[in-house]
Amino acid sequence: MNIRACPRRDVAAVPGGPEPPRRWQRGRVTARRQQPPPAGWPTAHTAGRQPAPAPAMRRRLCCCWGPAALLLLPLGLGSLLAAKVNKHKPWIETSYHGIITENNDTVILDPPLVALDKDAPVPFAGEICAFKIHGQEMPFEAVVLNKTSGEGRLQAGSAIDCELQKEYTFIIQAYDCGSGPGGTNWKKSHKAVVHIQVKDVNEFSPAFKESVYKASVTEGKIYDSILQVEATDEDCSPQYSQICNYEIVTTAVPFAIDRNGNIRNTEKLSYDKQHQYEIMVTAFDCGQKRAAEDALVRVNVKPVCKPGWQDWSKRVEYRPGSGSIPLFPSIQLEPCDGAVSSVRCTIELQSSSTAKGCDHETYSEKSLQKLCGASSGAIDLLPSPSTTTNWTAGLLMDSNDIIFKFDGKQGAKIPDGIVPKNLTDQFTITLWMKHGPSPGLRAEKETILCNSDKTEMNRHHYALYVHNCRLVFLLRKDFDQADTFRPAEFHWKLDQICDKEWHYYVVNVEFPVVTLYTDGTTYEPYLVTNDWPIHPSHIAMQLTVGACWQGGEVTKPRFAQYFHGSLASLTIRPGKIESQKVISCLQACKEGLDINSLESLGQGIKYHFNPSQSVLVMEGDDIKNINQALRKVSYINSRQFPTAGIRHLKVSSKVQCFGEDVCISIPDIDAYVMVFQADEPKITITGMDHFARPAAQFESERGVILLPDIRIVSTVTKMEHSVDFREHDRVNKQLVVEEMLHNLDFCDVLVIGAELDPEQECLELDNGELQGKHLDATNSTAGYSIYGVDSMFSYEQVLRQLRYRNWGASATAGRKFRVKCSELNGRYTSNEFNLEVNILHSSNSNFMDHVNHMIVQPQFLQSVQHPEGSVSAVHSSVVPGVAALVVGCASVLVLAAALAVLRLRSARRRGAAGCQGARDGDMDWDDSALTITVNPMEKYEKPHQTEEESEEEDIDDEEEDTTSAESDDSEDDEEEEEVVVQKGDKQSSTRQEQLEWDDSALPY
């Protein structure tokens, strides 16, 4: 057989390389599509069948083989194919594009996943056994559907979530089945790129970023956009993740919303019609899925913007003991779109409704000076009216405080001897003054204090007065060897003098220098004029207050230059001047403005207090910082018992804008602090309210301590309510009594009845008892007064050392005293504690074994009641005339004793009615007024009796003489007697000699 080889070009004409690419378009994605396999390659349609030779192939075979060879072709072709096992690699497309719907596992590929192998239809070698995916943790897998045809399917191996990943890209290869059943000599295709997009499902609803939206609008305006609401969607695709529409759910409201969420008003809003609108808004995504929850929109309608402070309360309540409370905790400034560059605020606390301008301690001037450590020797020229200080009785006076009002028609003369006639070169004048402008164009002098000639002439030696709202101090020194001009008038021009407010003035004179302190601030005189000294004369001087005395150069002496205003605590202290520290203490206010937490005021805030802390100035360049600073301004009152009433508040503001001096006007704030009344304390004095002592103790050098066990306690009563909400009524009202501690400012021990006789009795207290305490004391025939601001314990200690001496006790039966204490200059007073003291007179050593109200008969009465045997013995020893005399005297004595008993019982009942409380059992009868005639023969009878018999008879007679006068006493008196006796053995022993007769002066 003649076989010819085929031309080389015919062999080369069999294609073996890759197919030329072709382009395809699907939507916007453009990819390259390969041309179909060359003719003669198995395709998806011919796979598994024997392909027929193509015409060109037949021609080539015919030209290469001879006719003889054609006869052998069927036999030789099978042998040739069997020899060529798995010579070719599988073929797939170079790229694939797929789409998978989330939450599904099927992937739609374009083109379909098919692998071809030119070894087909050879078993194994021409079959496709697997597709392999190359990529890190890809959630896909490729499976072979038909090995012979090479068809495959790409599917998800796990759940696909578009919100986690929208696209996937990986490599895939096809593998044939190799050369035999074992899969040996397998071949793999080239790598193809697979790109898969995840199709979104509208599984999420829109959600608003905020559940509640707030906005404010001004009435009378149409807004393009009041506010914008915004919703989001968690879906991944643009179709389902975008919000395509918003809608107002609430009907019949004057608002509209666009697709971007902007809300506007469709008509002008009125604040009077409605202050606030509440509307519900929902959202839709582009898949028309509605929001799961609607959003609430609150639109507040504000009145037409007026610059000013907002969110503050006109009334601020303050309860005693609250410490510091904020005045404007929520205040804020509304500038109304003004370009503000700085804000200056002035907060003023106006306490003109309280005494002396602000809440000071209301102790007396002496007590305050002692408390502040002032020098002693101050003379009060305007004291409370009393028997010893009666020159202020005719002046108009405030009932609550020691404030004197002068109406231009009154003046007071200070009695001679109250103030020294010649003041030294150093002295101090202090006063509180409230004064306004004087009427008229040319006002006259208004005298506060004046020392002038009483008669003949009209010279003013020194004076303090107001003239044309200027304070003037006049001091004319007496003539000495140097007859020259000297400083005489010192003038001060201050706004405080005529502002109708209370101020504290101190004039320190250290000649020739005079210094004025006003509310603790030093002021030097702006004008000093000189004058000649005053030549000495015999003319007396008159010191006056509220006017100046004109005693000479007039027809009738009279007052002149009257003062118009109010004065208080006017004092003069000769020989000493006050220090700055004491002056500040005396005028210090106990209430004022304060700032809570200075550290958190904010940057750029400047502030300044006046000395009394009644005015605060704050300045800043940022509205937010100013608002924060003003919220920290507070009111504080450090008094335990503040003066109740209203304190006015005024806040004035000045706002500056950029490039302008004043841009907007801010109205002032007018508010007030309401200070409530403190719980009123009840001061109670207790102790032993009467006792008796022998006259010898009162006549001793130390006397008798009056109040050894005095106790001062203060309590406050509070009411508690428990509310029954079912009944809506208050039930179970309970009064709770609590003990409280506070100071006292004076305690008086006054004599009841006739004043003390300085020739024979007095009250005494060692000076050492006052050392280390803020206390002073004054002594007079009317009693003993202890004053000064100190604790109740200190007052107890001092009162327990007060002694009563009476070196003429034989002429006195007893004394009664009354103790009364005060806090805040009489604002709170104690009960009146009455003490009764009896002086016991005795001439022998016999005394009682037990103290009671029973009348004990003296020994000369006991002789009449002897037994019959004794009486017969006595009668036999005397003559009958003497016996008759004895019987007659005895009858007179019995009658006198009966009258004494009746008189004593009547006196005791009157004493019991006068005291508030039962008497103790040691009250003894007053025998000072009894006139008793003694049996002259008794001295002859006593020697016949032994001492023991006399004592036994005394005891028996005491038992027998228990008359109806004793039995009539009440059981309460008996119990009180027992209590008093049991107070101490020492006290009982001293009382054994209380009820004894003083017969030293009786005629025999």
Side-chain angles (χ1 to χ4, degrees), residues 413 450-461 539-544 547-561:
K413 292 182 179 180
C450 179
N451 188 29
S452 59
D453 290 332
K454 183 177 291 187
T455 57
E456 299 182 19
M457 303 181 70
N458 191 26
R459 299 176 301 174
H460 294 185
H461 298 265
I539 302 175
M541 292 178 289
Q542 178 64 60
L543 181 62
T544 57
C548 196
W549 182 254
Q550 189 172 359
E553 302 177 1
V554 291
T555 305
K556 183 180 180 181
R558 58 182 177 86
F559 280 116
Q561 301 174 2

Side-chain angles (χ1 to χ4, degrees), residues 857-981:
Q857 294 187 7
Q859 291 181 357
F860 62 84
L861 292 180
Q862 294 177 7
S863 62
V864 182
Q865 300 177 0
H866 284 175
E868 263 186 46
S870 299
V871 175
S872 301
V874 173
H875 285 180
S876 62
S877 62
V878 294
V879 294
V882 176
L885 179 62
V886 171
V887 173
C889 293
S891 301
V892 174
L893 290 175
V894 171
L895 179 60
L899 292 175
V901 170
L902 294 175
R903 181 177 179 181
L904 176 63
R905 287 188 55 80
S906 176
R908 288 183 61 242
R909 287 174 180 171
R910 289 195 302 270
C915 299
Q916 299 177 0
R919 300 300 188 190
D920 291 336
D922 56 353
M923 287 300 298
D924 300 306
W925 66 317
D926 184 4
D927 58 353
S928 59
L930 292 180
T931 303
I932 301 175
T933 305
V934 181
N935 182 4
M937 300 302 296
E938 186 177 7
K939 59 184 179 178
Y940 297 106
E941 297 171 1
K942 281 188 178 181
H944 296 280
Q945 299 177 356
T946 63
E947 185 177 353
E948 294 179 357
E949 291 175 349
S950 299
E951 291 178 358
E952 291 175 0
E953 290 173 359
D954 291 345
I955 296 174
D956 295 335
D957 291 340
E958 287 176 5
E959 294 175 356
E960 293 174 2
D961 290 338
T962 304
T963 63
S964 60
E966 178 184 1
S967 62
D968 289 341
D969 291 341
S970 64
E971 295 179 1
D972 294 339
D973 292 338
E974 294 174 0
E975 292 175 0
E976 291 174 5
E977 292 166 8
E978 293 175 2
V979 172
V980 172
V981 173

Side-chain angles (χ1 to χ4, degrees), residues 416 419-423 451 462 540-541:
D416 297 338
V419 178
K421 293 183 179 180
N422 295 321
L423 297 177
N451 188 29
Y462 63 86
M541 292 178 289

Side-chain angles (χ1 to χ4, degrees), residues 219-408:
E219 62 176 348
K221 289 185 178 182
I222 297 292
Y223 290 83
D224 295 333
S225 177
I226 296 175
L227 80 161
Q228 183 183 23
V229 298
E230 186 178 359
T232 59
D233 197 311
E234 295 182 2
D235 289 315
C236 65
S237 64
Q239 180 182 3
Y240 300 139
S241 64
Q242 293 182 356
I243 307 300
C244 286
N245 191 25
Y246 291 93
E247 184 178 313
I248 294 179
V249 179
T250 308
T251 59
V253 290
F255 297 95
I257 190 170
D258 60 17
R259 63 184 305 166
N260 293 322
N262 294 304
I263 298 177
R264 60 183 178 86
N265 58 321
T266 57
E267 63 183 42
K268 294 181 179 180
L269 305 179
S270 173
Y271 177 80
D272 297 332
K273 181 179 179 181
Q274 191 167 345
H275 293 357
Q276 186 186 74
Y277 291 88
E278 291 187 352
I279 57 178
M280 302 300 296
V281 177
T282 190
F284 296 89
D285 61 17
C286 295
Q288 292 304 305
K289 193 165 188 176
R290 181 174 172 171
E293 295 183 2
D294 299 336
L296 174 63
V297 179
R298 288 194 179 100
V299 180
N300 294 316
V301 181
K302 299 189 300 183
V304 175
C305 184
K306 297 177 182 178
W309 296 101
Q310 298 179 352
D311 301 332
W312 54 274
S313 298
K314 186 176 183 64
R315 175 187 171 103
V316 180
E317 295 183 351
Y318 184 86
R319 300 188 180 278
S322 300
S324 177
I325 61 169
L327 295 173
F328 312 107
S330 304
I331 196 170
Q332 59 181 355
L333 178 63
E334 174 57 65
C336 291
D337 300 328
V340 176
S341 61
S342 67
V343 181
R344 179 186 176 92
C345 302
T346 302
I347 306 99
E348 184 178 1
L349 178 66
Q350 300 172 345
S351 301
S352 57
S353 59
T354 60
K356 301 179 183 178
C358 69
D359 209 357
H360 298 82
E361 293 291 4
T362 54
Y363 296 116
S364 65
E365 189 66 20
K366 285 186 177 180
S367 298
L368 279 177
Q369 290 175 355
K370 184 73 175 179
L371 188 64
C372 293
S375 302
S376 59
I379 303 170
D380 193 355
L381 301 181
L382 289 176
S384 297
S386 65
T387 55
T388 57
T389 57
N390 57 0
W391 64 86
T392 58
L395 301 178
L396 297 175
M397 182 177 174
D398 193 319
S399 58
N400 294 328
D401 299 278
I402 309 177
I403 296 175
F404 295 89
K405 299 180 180 180
F406 295 86
D407 56 0

